[in-house]
Amino acid sequence: MKFSLFPILLVQFLAVGDSISAQSSLASFAYVLQADSLAKSKAEAVTKLAACGRDWIVLDANFSSDEPWTAADLAAIRAGRAGRKVIAYLSIGEAEDYRAYWQRFWKTNPPAFLLAENPEWKGNYRVKYWQAGWQKIILADVDKIMAAGFDGVYLDIVDGFETFEQDGKNFMDDRVNPETKQSYRRDMVDWVKAVAARARKTNPAALVIPQNGTQLLAHTDFLGAVDAVGVEDLFTNGDKLQKAADTKYILECLAPMIATHKPVL
């Protein structure tokens, strides 16, 4: 999901099979990426979020483009419900031209890691997520997120490896990246683990939650590094049911996660 295009979302916790978390207090979560549309001021948004009744709240790392959340804001939101966690959204598989790290000259003179704009999401660009230049930028954002007092990170575009597995209309599972000599999936596993390690350097209990990319759960080190997983469009796509085969495939990918009793959101 992208910050600039999505409305405020409130989503019930989805328990698939027996995956109702070793964290027994978790029963629901809110996903609010545009909190500046939730209220006229940050103070009012803090009040609303504190009272929302959800156990986990995923927020963009900033209240608005020019106003970050402070440790006091997060503490106030967290205090609204016992055991609540406040988690920061962070896209690690695409660059977004509305983020502080974006440089104007990139559109005419892009860095080595920056690729074409995503045709489905204006202002979002594919990246070579395994390259050091991109990782340095994102890890600096992880440091800022954790210093602000968030309880962890919610990682988007973890399924970015899929665009590199595609060749025309065909997909190849575990396609090898010629730059790293390992699969694009393995590159993403390593990247998520690096983000997790960086977050936990500040807070050893930091939550790390990837969104989509459930194929990576087949890697035991990936499964061990994450605390939950978010899944979009599992049963429906808009107001239509997903194809039964597609739902079955994702549920099969989720089986290792379900076996650990970690949350599936």
Side-chain angles (χ1 to χ4, degrees):
M1 291 184 179
K2 305 301 187 299
F3 172 82
S4 62
L5 297 178
F6 270 73
I8 296 163
L9 302 177
L10 190 65
V11 188
Q12 287 289 336
F13 177 79
L14 171 65
V16 180
D18 63 352
S19 67
I20 192 68
S21 183
Q23 303 195 40
S24 58
S25 63
L26 175 60
S28 64
F29 76 104
Y31 191 91
V32 185
L33 299 190
Q34 293 168 306
D36 56 347
S37 297
L38 181 66
K40 294 180 179 179
S41 69
K42 187 172 67 166
E44 184 181 349
V46 167
T47 299
K48 286 188 175 183
L49 290 166
C52 78
R54 302 294 164 173
D55 297 309
W56 287 3
I57 302 176
V58 178
L59 299 175
D60 192 81
N62 295 295
F63 168 69
S64 64
S65 59
D66 59 354
E67 192 172 9
W69 299 104
T70 66
D73 296 329
L74 300 179
I77 294 169
R78 196 179 291 112
R81 187 170 180 84
R84 171 176 285 163
K85 304 296 184 182
V86 185
I87 305 152
Y89 170 94
L90 181 66
S91 178
I92 67 168
E94 281 187 345
E96 301 161 316
D97 68 7
Y98 40 85
R99 297 297 182 183
Y101 59 70
W102 184 268
Q103 303 296 315
R104 291 183 180 180
F105 67 83
W106 284 2
K107 290 190 177 182
T108 55
N109 185 23
F113 62 75
L114 190 67
L115 300 173
E117 187 173 17
N118 183 337
E120 297 182 1
W121 297 100
K122 182 177 173 58
N124 293 265
Y125 293 77
R126 293 175 64 211
V127 295
K128 294 183 176 182
Y129 51 84
W130 57 89
Q131 289 198 353
W134 172 246
Q135 294 192 1
K136 181 179 179 180
I137 289 169
I138 295 302
L139 292 175
D141 276 355
V142 173
D143 290 342
K144 292 175 185 176
I145 284 167
M146 299 311 299
F150 281 95
D151 295 303
V153 286
Y154 188 95
L155 307 178
D156 201 7
I157 318 299
V158 171
D159 56 354
F161 63 86
E162 293 178 350
T163 64
F164 295 95
E165 293 187 333
Q166 186 174 8
D167 181 12
K169 294 183 179 180
N170 299 315
F171 283 87
M172 179 185 291
D173 290 353
D174 295 306
R175 185 186 292 274
V176 173
N177 180 351
E179 292 189 17
T180 64
K181 311 305 180 185
Q182 60 181 11
S183 72
Y184 290 105
R185 296 186 184 193
R186 184 68 240 178
D187 289 333
M188 184 59 80
V189 169
D190 291 346
W191 179 211
V192 170
K193 288 176 63 180
V195 171
R198 189 62 164 256
R200 291 167 182 156
K201 185 177 180 180
T202 299
N203 176 4
L207 296 170
V208 176
I209 307 169
Q211 177 162 282
N212 301 321
T214 52
Q215 303 96 314
L216 303 182
L217 293 167
H219 295 256
T220 56
D221 53 340
F222 180 84
L223 182 63
V226 304
D227 299 284
V229 62
V231 183
E232 292 181 275
D233 305 326
L234 177 58
F235 298 112
T236 63
N237 185 1
D239 60 357
K240 297 181 180 179
L241 287 175
Q242 287 284 25
K243 294 179 181 179
D246 293 344
T247 296
K248 181 175 181 290
Y249 172 72
I250 298 301
L251 288 173
E252 289 172 349
C253 290
L254 285 168
M257 192 74 174
I258 294 169
T260 68
H261 303 279
K262 292 180 180 180
V264 177
L265 310 176

